[in-house]
Amino acid sequence: MVFKTTGNKSEPVVLFFHAMGVTGESSMPVADKLAGKFYCIMPTSTVYCSGQRYCSKSDEVQQVVRFLEKQEIKEIELVVASSIGADLAMAFVTNAKIPVKHIFFDGGQFAQIGKVTRRIMVPFLSPDLIRMEN
């Protein structure tokens, strides 16, 4: 994963999970507006990171948790998730031990996506594989 941040680390944390087809930076217009009062974290899924491979949803969650631990973040004020990012955000909220005060899901996949469906979808999402097909 690649993590983009904006704001002051001493402020309450807003954690964004992006939609399919975009990166964490897609949340930057909103994050820039919040940066005066919040520390905004925008991870980009490994699916969209050059040289990285998607392993599993739990691996993605663990990467976010490790980043938050390195940043010494003990609580999250708000999790914002768009589209399929809601699936990863739900896994984060239900599996990570970091307290989350508020959650906002914008559209998206609220049902769990099965492993078989995820495996079928991943090759179509990977930029490296998409480039090879063109």
Side-chain angles (χ1 to χ4, degrees), residues 1-5 14-28 40-57 59-67 80 84-85 88 125-127:
M1 289 189 130
V2 172
F3 293 87
K4 178 82 175 167
T5 63
V14 177
L15 176 61
F16 292 86
F17 288 91
H18 64 83
M20 186 177 352
V22 297
T23 65
E25 279 197 68
S26 65
S27 298
M28 190 55 83
C40 298
I41 302 170
M42 297 152 285
T44 295
S45 176
T46 56
V47 171
Y48 298 102
C49 296
S50 180
Q52 296 184 23
R53 280 222 181 273
Y54 176 88
C55 294
S56 68
K57 186 170 31 173
D59 178 63
E60 299 276 300
V61 168
Q62 287 308 307
Q63 288 185 59
V64 172
V65 169
R66 284 191 300 272
F67 177 84
V80 177
I84 200 159
L88 183 57
L125 302 176
S126 172

Side-chain angles (χ1 to χ4, degrees), residues 15-117:
L15 176 61
F16 292 86
F17 288 91
H18 64 83
M20 186 177 352
V22 297
T23 65
E25 279 197 68
S26 65
S27 298
M28 190 55 83
V30 174
D32 277 342
K33 300 280 186 203
L34 298 174
K37 295 181 180 182
F38 297 94
Y39 181 54
C40 298
I41 302 170
M42 297 152 285
T44 295
S45 176
T46 56
V47 171
Y48 298 102
C49 296
S50 180
Q52 296 184 23
R53 280 222 181 273
Y54 176 88
C55 294
S56 68
K57 186 170 31 173
S58 68
D59 178 63
E60 299 276 300
V61 168
Q62 287 308 307
Q63 288 185 59
V64 172
V65 169
R66 284 191 300 272
F67 177 84
L68 296 172
E69 288 172 348
K70 285 180 185 175
Q71 299 286 310
E72 299 181 356
I73 293 169
K74 306 286 188 226
E75 180 179 81
I76 298 173
E77 185 68 27
L78 174 65
V79 169
V80 177
S82 298
S83 188
I84 200 159
D87 186 49
L88 183 57
M90 182 63 83
F92 172 81
V93 169
T94 58
N95 295 310
K97 303 294 186 226
I98 300 169
V100 175
K101 289 184 172 181
H102 306 280
I103 303 166
F104 178 77
F105 290 162
D106 179 22
Q109 181 70 29
F110 296 104
Q112 296 293 327
I113 296 174
K115 288 182 181 181
V116 173
T117 303

